[in-house]
Amino acid sequence: MKCVIVGAHLRVFGRAIHAIARISDEFWFDPLEKGLALRSVNSSRSAYAYVFFSSMFFQHYCWAAVPQPHQKDKQLSPPCKLIIKSVLPVFRCVNVLERNVEKCSIYTNINDHHITFQLLCKHGVVKTYNLTFQECDPLQAVFAKHMCPNVLKFHSRLLADIMVHFPTSQEEVTLSVTPMKVCFKSYTEEDADLSKTMLTEIQLNPDEFDYFQIGVDSEVTFCLKELRGLLVFSEATSVPVSIHFDISGKPVAFSIEDLVLEASFILATLSDIDKKTSQQQPPGFTPQQESPGTRTGKAEKASMDKDSSKQANASKKPQRSENTPSTEPAKPGSPLVKQRKVIPGATEGDATGVGGTTTAHAGLAAGAAEAHYDKVRRQPVVFRVEHLSWCLGTRSLGVTTWNYIQFCLWPFNGSISHSSRADRNRHHHI
Amino acid sequence: MRFRAKIVDLACLNHFSRVVNTIAKLAKTCTLRLTVSKLYFILSDKVLNGGVGMWCELNQGNFFDEFQMEGVSAEHNEIYLELMPENLSRALKTAHNAKAVKMKLTNKHCPCLRVAVELPSLSSSSRIVTHDIPVGVIPRRLWNDFREPSVPDFDVSIYLPALKIMKSVVERMRNLSNYVVIEANLSGEMNLKVETDLVCVTTHFKDLGNPSWALEDGCQSSQDRDPESMAEARIDIRKLQQLLAGQQVNPTKALCNIVSKRVVHLILLHEDVSLQYFIPALT
């Protein structure tokens, strides 16, 4: 893969990297036929970022790579995983990037496992950054934006104006909507000391939005810190922002889209612990994955509450599966209390996966998914490598594990590094 | 106990914000005293904080368009609240172009000062940002702790040099040591001294002028003092730096009273705000 970025798009690209850096330390660099995708997910699986630059964004974009003879599938340029810290210095002073840098070339060398960022600067200075990448399984979240009853669209300036009222230390924010008004307020945990914390609330009129559709009154609470990256990015692009969301517990998607780029930040939201979780079929996944018969209603609910706490407290999970949702103890400060119900699969209840995954992908990644669609059908849907042990632990209880962002992984058939191979073996045990 | 106030004028709002910002830099927690005609920000951690004291007085009429206050009782028509000025500063920070700012004392889950900022918006109705700042109500029996400190029996009183210059000098000195010696005499000379094992740095200010204080008994005790003789006090430089760093507007008058080896009393006067700051001397 080789591409060249020039002009104002340099700043946009740099901002995208910075925005993704807010989510996690590493990101997926995924060259596709139609453009370049950058993806990232945080360690607790409660935030997923996706930025897609179509080939028109680049002055020059060339996808074809050296085809591997033993690769049956069409994936020519596999995605790579990069450490954000290595890439950030390349786009360090984003604001002055355009002034000093004339052109940025990016090319990948698969055999060598290298990505090279080359900045052609003024006065003949050329900065070359050679970064090693780790080949890995692709990453994609499944989230059907078009199925969300609530949609708000507005200029990025409005979102920035709203968020400026919250202190930078504010972790979580609640968005509360009715057809008559929209309200953003700071969120504090139930056991927090109210006599010490300052609470901020912003009320807006529906008129302020370019597009306002509220199908269901809801209050969703999400992490503001992770969102701030997107705020800055959207201001750089000055593309309107859309929020797609549903009731509490279901994920909220912040996205921007224009002719040459598309970005989505999908964040988990807190679910009401008191309310009985009226779930709702577990996320649609591919057929092999699930035998619906193993799941009873109660076990489902319990597992959902249990599994939705995505912190790596794997050991605690087995106990919690015994609890019914209503008796969840509110452990102060415990991450388990936050039952972040993240994106259920695109097709609620549709376990066939075929039709469902297509729509899901369509909702999220315009061209990207179709190519991999076939593979999704065949392969089991699992988590990423390091969380596999957790996955296995919960699976052994015979309950489902899908209350966070569901990722579809396409294992490589081609050359894979040692670590991936080990994981593939684990896949087969499932 | 009731309190409601409203600021509509932008200039007044910005002025009030600046005062609150200054206070926020000086104290993490302080007492807000509300009377019918004035607001006071008071800090009197005599014991806890190494004796730093702060007394800031504002005429409410110069800031608020509406001001209604009902104290704890008819006899004691005042309210004493404990709050973190940083919260108030933050609430007012994004109110640069507000249509109006309203403040109200409420008691929903706990006593709060509710600051509601009405901002202009693109739509017909304004955007309203509400901040609930938690406050503590200070009971009547503790009010004595917050009396106005009297002007100490100083040895020398002198006008301060331009605060900007003083601030940059003190900032540089801060890198050398945690303590600075302030000395001044009645001839309008002031020195700031920093001493370490390796180096001793002194900045001399001249022709500052000495204010004349009329005392009750009509005579000025400082008359007996040798005009060249310096009164000095060694203080924590960080306290001085905090005060100077917080100043966003040049005061109309800025002066300093020194009680030799005891306390430095700094007074900054603006048109409608007066700020007094007491820094104890260290041995």
Side-chain angles (χ1 to χ4, degrees):
Chain A
M1 189 282 289
K2 177 174 156 82
C3 67
V4 176
I5 312 171
V6 293
H9 287 181
L10 278 168
R11 189 160 62 100
V12 173
F13 194 82
R15 286 250 176 262
I17 301 277
H18 281 268
I20 291 182
R22 297 258 185 172
I23 302 282
S24 165
D25 285 336
E26 48 191 24
F27 71 107
W28 274 253
F29 185 90
D30 192 357
L32 306 162
E33 185 175 2
K34 294 197 178 145
L36 174 65
L38 306 175
R39 301 175 220 268
S40 179
V41 66
N42 73 356
S43 54
S44 57
R45 294 287 183 279
S46 58
Y48 168 82
Y50 165 75
V51 185
F52 176 72
F53 298 97
S54 88
S55 50
M56 292 188 291
F57 178 84
F58 303 94
Q59 188 192 53
H60 171 69
Y61 183 79
C62 168
W63 179 59
V66 176
Q68 310 279 352
H70 45 284
Q71 249 185 329
K72 302 180 268 203
D73 304 292
K74 288 193 216 123
Q75 243 179 9
L76 292 184
S77 227
C80 350
K81 193 161 51 135
L82 290 171
I83 306 290
I84 283 259
K85 278 198 239 167
S86 332
V87 183
L88 272 181
V90 182
F91 299 97
R92 196 192 333 247
C93 305
V94 182
N95 291 331
V96 299
L97 213 54
E98 298 168 52
R99 268 189 276 150
N100 297 335
V101 179
E102 288 163 24
K103 195 157 78 161
C104 170
S105 310
I106 309 175
Y107 36 90
T108 57
N109 184 339
I110 304 163
N111 298 330
D112 218 359
H113 289 241
H114 266 98
I115 290 190
T116 307
F117 289 81
Q118 195 172 68
L119 298 177
L120 265 67
C121 309
K122 270 197 198 154
H123 312 299
V125 174
V126 177
K127 294 191 210 174
T128 310
Y129 299 79
N130 284 319
L131 306 169
T132 334
F133 64 77
Q134 190 186 332
E135 242 178 60
C136 59
D137 295 336
L139 171 79
Q140 178 142 332
V142 177
F143 179 63
K145 265 196 317 203
H146 61 281
M147 287 180 65
C148 291
N150 296 341
V151 182
L152 299 172
K153 286 198 178 138
F154 46 94
H155 196 269
S156 55
R157 189 70 246 160
L158 175 62
L159 194 58
D161 283 346
I162 295 168
M163 295 311 172
V164 79
H165 297 287
F166 295 102
T168 38
S169 58
Q170 182 68 37
E171 297 233 353
E172 278 156 336
V173 154
T174 303
L175 166 60
S176 164
V177 292
T178 69
M180 309 302 296
K181 70 167 176 60
V182 175
C183 172
F184 285 88
K185 49 192 174 188
S186 47
Y187 172 83
T188 47
E189 303 192 19
E190 297 89 33
D191 50 348
D193 193 358
L194 285 174
S195 63
K196 296 263 166 57
T197 38
M198 179 166 136
L199 300 177
T200 303
E201 183 176 315
I202 299 150
Q203 291 219 5
L204 300 150
N205 202 284
D207 297 350
E208 298 212 48
F209 296 90
D210 296 338
Y211 180 82
F212 181 83
Q213 171 194 305
I214 300 295
V216 55
D217 291 2
S218 78
E219 276 201 12
V220 290
T221 303
F222 52 86
C223 184
L224 182 59
K225 282 194 169 163
E226 283 153 358
L227 186 61
R228 285 195 193 268
L230 181 68
L231 293 185
V232 181
F233 178 53
S234 62
E235 282 195 90
T237 58
S238 53
V239 176
V241 179
S242 320
I243 312 183
H244 294 256
F245 59 108
D246 201 325
I247 57 172
S248 65
K250 298 214 182 167
V252 55
F254 290 82
S255 45
I256 66 179
E257 191 173 331
D258 80 356
L259 292 170
V260 296
L261 68 82
E262 192 190 313
S264 281
F265 271 49
I266 304 179
L267 304 174
T269 65
L270 290 184
S271 71
D272 292 332
I273 301 176
D274 318 73
K275 265 203 309 207
K276 276 242 161 172
T277 51
S278 55
Q279 263 342 325
Q280 135 223 89
Q281 276 284 45
F285 10 167
T286 53
Q288 292 76 359
Q289 173 85 72
E290 285 288 301
S291 41
T294 59
R295 288 178 276 112
T296 64
K298 201 163 185 202
E300 258 175 61
K301 281 192 190 161
S303 72
M304 279 176 189
D305 298 323
K306 171 172 64 77
D307 301 326
S308 56
S309 57
K310 264 172 298 353
Q311 320 307 322
N313 290 336
S315 55
K316 292 202 187 159
K317 289 197 171 37
Q319 288 124 23
R320 284 176 47 124
S321 67
E322 260 73 82
N323 297 331
T324 56
S326 52
T327 59
E328 284 301 347
K331 295 175 199 155
S334 157
L336 297 180
V337 175
K338 287 193 187 171
Q339 306 194 3
R340 297 199 154 228
K341 302 221 170 219
V342 193
I343 309 159
T347 54
E348 254 91 333
D350 178 7
T352 57
V354 173
T357 35
T358 319
T359 19
H361 291 317
L364 194 54
E370 275 103 56
H372 310 303
Y373 163 55
D374 286 330
K375 296 181 87 176
V376 173
R377 242 201 315 180
R378 282 196 298 274
Q379 303 300 330
V381 181
V382 294
F383 284 107
R384 269 204 49 210
V385 174
E386 53 266 28
H387 292 268
L388 218 41
S389 54
W390 172 58
C391 210
L392 288 170
T394 53
R395 283 191 168 281
S396 62
L397 297 167
V399 289
T400 60
T401 60
W402 299 106
N403 279 324
Y404 30 67
I405 302 171
Q406 176 183 346
F407 297 118
C408 303
L409 253 52
W410 295 272
F412 272 111
N413 295 325
S415 59
I416 40 178
S417 63
H418 175 72
S419 55
S420 328
R421 195 175 295 123
D423 305 318
R424 287 193 63 199
N425 289 337
R426 287 157 120 193
H427 291 0
H428 292 311
H429 283 152
I430 292 167
Chain B
M1 206 169 34
R2 269 181 77 238
F3 171 60
R4 289 179 109 97
K6 184 163 147 182
I7 305 181
V8 174
D9 181 54
L10 264 185
C12 294
L13 177 61
N14 287 332
H15 195 10
F16 186 66
S17 289
R18 277 196 295 267
V19 174
V20 175
N21 289 343
T22 307
I23 304 291
K25 294 232 166 65
L26 292 175
K28 191 148 176 264
T29 314
C30 75
T31 303
L32 171 61
R33 174 182 167 199
L34 303 165
T35 67
V36 171
S37 56
K38 293 196 183 194
L39 281 95
Y40 303 83
F41 289 96
I42 307 166
L43 179 68
S44 61
D45 299 342
K46 287 256 177 318
V47 178
L48 297 169
N49 213 359
V52 176
M54 172 187 72
W55 180 270
C56 178
E57 205 173 295
L58 294 85
N59 273 323
Q60 63 90 345
N62 290 341
F63 296 92
F64 295 91
D65 294 277
E66 282 172 30
F67 192 91
Q68 296 155 17
M69 200 262 334
E70 271 171 36
V72 291
S73 66
E75 268 176 38
H76 307 288
N77 197 16
E78 298 183 358
I79 301 177
Y80 282 66
L81 299 169
E82 189 184 3
L83 57 72
M84 293 175 59
E86 167 67 33
N87 286 340
L88 188 54
S89 169
R90 212 195 301 150
L92 297 172
K93 194 163 70 154
T94 46
H96 301 301
N97 55 342
K99 282 188 192 168
V101 173
K102 291 189 197 160
M103 283 189 240
K104 189 169 96 158
L105 200 52
T106 65
N107 193 356
K108 292 237 169 91
H109 308 283
C110 61
C112 277
L113 186 64
R114 171 164 289 184
V115 179
V117 181
E118 196 182 326
L119 293 166
S121 78
L122 301 163
S123 78
S124 49
S125 57
S126 325
R127 215 180 280 172
I128 302 188
V129 185
T130 313
H131 301 272
D132 281 336
I133 301 170
V135 296
V137 179
I138 300 177
R140 165 90 189 84
R141 59 192 157 82
L142 295 175
W143 288 9
N144 274 332
D145 293 349
F146 303 101
R147 276 173 306 179
E148 180 168 4
S150 48
V151 178
D153 201 10
F154 51 82
D155 296 313
V156 168
S157 178
I158 188 167
Y159 286 111
L160 289 173
L163 289 190
K164 250 196 199 157
I165 298 179
M166 203 173 163
K167 178 175 120 163
S168 52
V169 168
V170 170
E171 261 173 25
R172 303 280 180 279
M173 285 183 164
R174 165 116 196 232
N175 294 331
L176 296 171
S177 166
N178 282 338
Y179 305 104
V180 66
V181 173
I182 298 187
E183 53 178 31
N185 64 17
L186 289 168
S187 308
E189 289 173 352
M190 175 195 265
N191 300 334
L192 295 173
K193 277 201 301 204
V194 168
E195 258 181 52
T196 66
D197 292 336
L198 293 173
V199 68
C200 175
V201 180
T202 311
T203 305
H204 305 267
F205 297 94
K206 290 195 301 205
D207 298 328
L208 293 173
N210 300 83
S212 51
W213 290 75
L215 299 176
E216 287 97 30
D217 52 3
C219 70
Q220 295 190 6
S221 56
S222 47
Q223 292 241 328
D224 305 334
R225 208 186 149 81
D226 171 19
E228 300 291 324
S229 135
M230 292 278 187
E232 68 164 42
R234 186 163 173 265
I235 59 170
D236 186 339
I237 199 172
R238 287 167 294 191
K239 304 275 189 296
L240 181 60
Q241 194 202 7
Q242 270 171 350
L243 175 67
L244 295 171
Q247 293 308 304
Q248 296 168 310
V249 184
N250 271 330
T252 326
K253 267 196 188 166
L255 50 103
C256 164
N257 299 334
I258 304 179
V259 179
S260 212
K261 295 197 174 43
R262 288 294 204 88
V263 70
V264 174
H265 175 209
L266 297 141
I267 306 175
L268 304 173
L269 297 170
H270 296 84
E271 267 173 28
D272 29 30
V273 182
S274 75
L275 174 64
Q276 295 180 54
Y277 201 57
F278 297 82
I279 310 179
L282 307 161
T283 46

